[in-house]
Amino acid sequence: MSSARPEVIRVGPRDKKSQEAFCEYVPRVFRTVDFRRWCAWGEWTDDYHAFCVLDGGQVVANASVTRMHLRVEGRDVLGYQLGAVGCVPSHRGRGLARLAMEAALESCGDAPVLLFANKNVLGFYPRFGFVPRRQSLFGVSLAVEPGGARAPVLDLSHASVRAELHALAETSTPVTERFGAWRHGRIASWYAAANFARPLRRLGDDAWVFAGVEDGTLHIEDIFAREPFDLRPHLSRLVDAPVTSIQFGFTPERWWPDARELAEDTDADLFVRGVSLPDGPDRFPVMART
């Protein structure tokens, strides 16, 4: 790379060649992460832009921006979330990730911004005005036995299913009023495309959940529903073996008021900028993280 200031390009949904370069960059920095299937599904929209530093036509550093519909203490807030921030190993130590971050943040203006950080670079983000926000795990002890008709599993590799998810997400009730996101169906679809999501189950035409059982616990990661409803009668339809507890991938005050804070979520290093958040424990929805 020459000594001249590197160019940062903005990559959007119609920049197919640059998208390919971005998709090649991602696994070089995040070994288990891949955007190719999500792109092939046509899920990259104008809500997502990547700010890429190039060298010889290859993306060597990046900071991506997702436009978000946030929910903060019952208010709708337009904000942004950063993701895929990093630099390939061969080009580190040259300030390239900083250049990508500066370009990404400039595009956000004065709006609230959040990001989930890699533990190896936790000292990087406070330089840009971000402050850490503790994340909590929420759950409840409850014995649930399988029963009734199993909730059907929906396959998001089918375009028709994705279209239904997006339509439902656009009109769904936010899972939390404290601090969360809504209308995030395309972020949720990324988790499915990357094989990181628990099964998507249909409880009804207007109620879909990402949920699965692991080590005797039912994990309810997200709920897309047009109206709140009582989860209890549906739990037996989500398990194929007895469970003794439930954990939630969000702050569940709306869905399970008696859920308790179990512990700190030490896998989630959240940083926020430009937004005042309520006191007390919360968990930003796991299916809305980029």
Side-chain angles (χ1 to χ4, degrees):
M1 180 175 287
S2 70
S3 59
R5 181 181 176 89
E7 178 186 11
V8 181
I9 65 167
R10 178 171 180 156
V11 180
R14 288 164 289 280
D15 305 320
K16 299 303 181 183
K17 184 175 180 180
S18 296
Q19 273 188 24
E20 292 176 5
F22 168 80
C23 287
E24 292 173 0
Y25 149 84
V26 171
R28 297 174 66 191
V29 179
F30 311 97
R31 289 181 294 175
T32 62
V33 179
D34 200 317
F35 274 73
R36 291 179 177 88
R37 195 175 186 215
W38 187 70
C39 291
W41 283 0
E43 295 291 274
W44 188 324
T45 70
D46 280 321
D47 285 337
Y48 189 86
H49 285 84
F51 291 83
C52 303
V53 179
L54 299 182
D55 183 15
Q58 291 188 324
V59 176
V60 294
N62 178 79
S64 294
V65 175
T66 302
R67 182 168 54 194
M68 303 285 297
H69 294 274
L70 302 175
R71 194 77 171 171
V72 181
E73 295 186 283
R75 297 178 289 110
D76 294 333
V77 177
L78 180 62
Y80 297 90
Q81 185 174 179
L82 302 189
V85 179
C87 182
V88 300
S90 60
H91 287 64
R92 288 174 185 165
R94 307 182 191 182
L96 302 183
R98 175 180 55 80
L99 290 179
M101 277 285 291
E102 290 171 349
L105 289 172
E106 183 178 0
S107 76
C108 299
D110 296 327
V113 185
L114 63 102
L115 60 87
F116 285 86
N118 183 309
K119 291 185 181 298
N120 295 328
V121 290
L122 295 184
F124 179 64
Y125 297 105
R127 305 175 194 175
F128 300 91
F130 286 92
V131 296
R133 171 76 176 187
R134 185 182 189 272
Q135 293 291 277
S136 298
L137 299 174
F138 293 93
V140 60
S141 296
L142 184 72
V144 180
E145 298 278 345
R150 294 291 306 281
V153 174
L154 302 166
D155 187 352
L156 281 170
S157 69
H158 298 302
S160 60
V161 177
R162 295 197 300 274
E164 286 189 70
L165 173 64
H166 300 327
L168 183 57
E170 287 298 306
T171 56
S172 65
T173 299
V175 289
T176 176
E177 293 291 329
R178 283 182 50 78
F179 173 46
W182 63 304
R183 300 173 66 182
H184 56 281
R186 294 187 189 277
I187 302 176
S189 74
W190 181 87
Y191 282 89
N195 295 317
F196 292 151
R198 299 186 190 275
L200 176 60
R201 313 290 291 272
R202 184 196 296 268
L203 297 181
D205 290 343
D206 296 335
W208 294 10
V209 301
F210 284 92
V213 174
E214 183 179 343
D215 297 330
T217 295
L218 172 61
H219 295 264
I220 300 178
E221 301 286 59
D222 211 335
I223 301 172
F224 292 92
R226 291 195 170 95
E227 298 291 342
F229 60 92
D230 186 359
L231 276 171
R232 290 175 185 265
H234 299 280
L235 297 178
S236 61
R237 302 176 59 208
L238 295 173
V239 302
D240 54 11
V243 301
T244 57
S245 61
I246 304 171
Q247 286 192 22
F248 300 92
F250 48 88
T251 313
E253 87 286 348
R254 162 169 277 163
W255 296 95
W256 209 288
D258 296 334
R260 60 188 178 89
E261 182 186 12
L262 302 176
E264 181 178 0
D265 184 357
T266 56
D267 291 332
D269 292 293
L270 173 63
F271 286 80
V272 298
R273 188 180 97 157
V275 61
S276 177
L277 297 176
D279 294 332
D282 57 51
R283 191 179 196 195
F284 192 82
V286 297
M287 300 293 288
R289 301 176 184 179
T290 65

